[in-house]
Amino acid sequence: MALIKAQHAAGKRYEWNVSEPDVHISGNTAWIAYVNKGSISDASGTMPQQWLEIGLPAERGRHLEIVFMHSTRVPSPPQETQSKSPHGLPSH
């Protein structure tokens, strides 16, 4: 949380939207995998982002807590290059 608070103080804003949840339960073990679609914004603009994430909950008293969490950023697709004529000018 300290990292996020420092980023907010520096002007960054994060948006998270959990989608495509995939929940598994096997005996006393459970885990969830999902896609986190969102963005990171600052004074220079907004950059869309996606993360693949997994969480492992554990029972703590009367509630569940996430005891393990992993997040991997999905790379942005490469920019499409505009096709050009043999003379280096954009083609129409």
Side-chain angles (χ1 to χ4, degrees):
M1 286 307 297
L3 173 66
I4 296 297
K5 287 181 181 182
Q7 293 295 309
H8 276 197
K12 292 201 182 272
R13 297 291 177 253
Y14 297 84
E15 178 183 334
W16 293 295
N17 298 290
V18 172
S19 63
E20 304 174 46
D22 185 19
V23 178
H24 299 268
I25 300 172
S26 178
N28 291 333
T29 304
W31 67 94
I32 182 170
Y34 55 89
V35 176
N36 184 346
K37 296 178 182 179
S39 62
I40 300 173
S41 302
D42 62 15
S44 67
T46 300
M47 177 71 74
Q49 299 288 322
Q50 285 192 75
W51 299 268
L52 299 176
E53 298 183 333
I54 186 168
L56 179 64
E59 191 172 350
R60 300 284 194 242
R62 296 179 145 181
H63 61 279
L64 294 176
E65 291 181 7
I66 299 293
V67 295
F68 175 80
M69 177 82 179
H70 178 77
S71 180
T72 299
R73 188 177 293 179
V74 177
S76 298
Q79 295 279 341
E80 287 188 36
T81 57
Q82 189 176 28
S83 64
K84 296 188 177 197
S85 70
H87 304 290
L89 301 172
S91 61
H92 296 272

